[in-house]
Amino acid sequence: MSAHKIIIAIDGFSSCGKSTLAKQLAAKLGYNYIDSGAMYRAITLYFLRNGIHVNDHEQILDALSNIHLSFVFNEQRQQSDIYLNEEDVEPYIRDLIVAEKVSEVAAIKEVRSFAVAQQKKMGKKKGIVMDGRDIGTVVFPEAELKVFMTADPDIRVLRRYDELVANNPNITIEEVRHNLELRDYIDSNREESPLRKADDAITLDNSNLTREEQLEKVLEWVKDRATNVVAK
Ligand code: CDP
């Protein structure tokens, strides 16, 4: 594959397999993988722990000034864990209690500016795969490759249920379905950078693709974009 590094932006609805694809690409290409959703989840965890109200502007600004986020590579997981003020919060941010609040927190203008400013800096050297909701539209509108992922809603619910039930045996499929539908609704309808497909993004429906098939497909697109970059 070309040595010329590009930015790969992956956006889409909840639980479409964005992070799976992003991790596959990063491993294959030797790129950094950044899970932008983990940042919104970590901020939400801070808000929950400290009783921050989503409509209290002063409180939100104060909270953000006390939040420091960083990604630290975890050898065991072979991917980065997110740290909230020096604490590895990876074990807590996937809980349903965070998932139930995260879209409300991520819709706040100040929260988005805070996260987006950091995300933009991470792309300075290229060679990055970032997944989220506004990566191709707002964070990296200049990304050489933008993928917009979709998958059948029933398949998405089952995939997320399988992930969550391991740590939470009492969770129900209906709870998971409700959370995904609610987040997709809020994420798509918020005022600040709503989830939408960038005009120059390629749609990837992975409902019936294996992990290997999806990787093969996207690597072709990477090859194409990286070669075009070199030719420019
Ligand atoms: O893994 P999943 O697709 O379910 O969600 P996530 O990527 O962990 O993102 C959690 C939530 O953070 C989303 O539902 C959005 O509300 C928010 N988010 C966002 O607003 N913008 C991003 N770039 C990434 C996540």
Side-chain angles (χ1 to χ4, degrees):
M1 191 71 52
S2 166
H4 201 95
K5 294 194 184 245
I6 63 169
I7 295 180
I8 304 175
I10 303 178
D11 289 303
F13 298 101
S14 301
S15 212
C16 276
K18 299 183 297 292
S19 67
T20 303
L21 173 64
K23 278 180 233 168
Q24 287 176 305
L25 287 170
K28 190 84 188 173
L29 300 165
Y31 281 19
N32 274 333
Y33 162 51
I34 298 294
D35 171 2
S36 71
M39 299 173 73
Y40 294 100
R41 286 173 180 268
I43 296 169
T44 303
L45 182 67
Y46 183 96
F47 278 29
L48 286 168
R49 284 176 172 177
N50 294 282
I52 309 297
H53 293 283
V54 292
N55 37 23
D56 188 329
H57 183 76
E58 291 297 313
Q59 224 184 19
I60 291 167
L61 287 181
D62 189 48
L64 291 174
S65 72
N66 287 311
I67 292 177
H68 180 254
L69 300 177
S70 54
F71 286 95
V72 178
F73 196 73
N74 178 329
E75 290 291 340
Q76 216 173 358
R77 294 201 316 134
Q78 281 297 299
Q79 79 175 77
S80 295
D81 286 351
I82 188 154
Y83 279 64
L84 167 63
N85 296 339
E86 318 308 320
E87 177 192 0
D88 183 349
V89 290
E90 201 60 48
Y92 315 115
I93 59 166
R94 313 282 159 197
D95 284 352
L96 199 56
I97 192 161
V98 173
E100 276 167 352
K101 195 79 185 165
V102 64
S103 289
E104 233 183 299
V105 173
I108 301 169
K109 191 173 182 207
E110 293 79 5
V111 169
R112 300 210 70 77
S113 318
F114 175 84
V116 169
Q118 296 178 37
Q119 291 155 5
K120 281 180 183 281
K121 277 192 199 151
M122 296 175 197
K124 284 246 151 51
K125 289 190 187 147
K126 303 220 174 191
I128 188 169
V129 188
M130 193 178 284
D131 74 333
R133 303 292 186 287
D134 59 342
I135 310 305
T137 51
V138 175
V139 180
F140 299 130
E142 75 283 16
E144 288 83 358
L145 176 61
K146 300 179 186 177
V147 180
F148 189 83
M149 287 182 77
T150 63
D152 180 280
D154 287 336
I155 293 177
R156 296 200 271 128
V157 170
L158 286 180
R159 283 179 185 160
R160 184 49 53 97
Y161 174 77
D162 286 344
E163 274 171 20
L164 291 173
V165 78
N167 286 327
N168 182 356
N170 295 325
I171 203 164
T172 66
I173 291 195
E174 277 324 304
E175 277 176 310
V176 175
R177 184 186 304 281
H178 176 257
N179 180 252
L180 293 195
E181 286 174 354
L182 182 70
R183 282 200 289 132
D184 284 348
Y185 181 81
I186 300 176
D187 294 346
S188 307
N189 292 285
R190 66 187 178 212
E191 259 175 50
E192 291 299 321
S193 42
L195 166 63
R196 66 169 182 81
K197 178 180 174 290
D199 293 340
D200 51 351
I202 309 175
T203 300
L204 175 70
D205 183 334
N206 72 354
S207 307
N208 298 305
L209 294 179
T210 63
R211 288 173 184 219
E212 293 71 30
E213 285 167 342
Q214 79 175 7
L215 177 62
E216 209 178 305
K217 219 181 222 304
V218 180
L219 280 175
E220 278 303 309
W221 299 339
V222 173
K223 208 154 113 187
D224 180 53
R225 302 305 160 105
T227 315
N228 282 336
V229 169
V230 174
K232 261 184 209 165

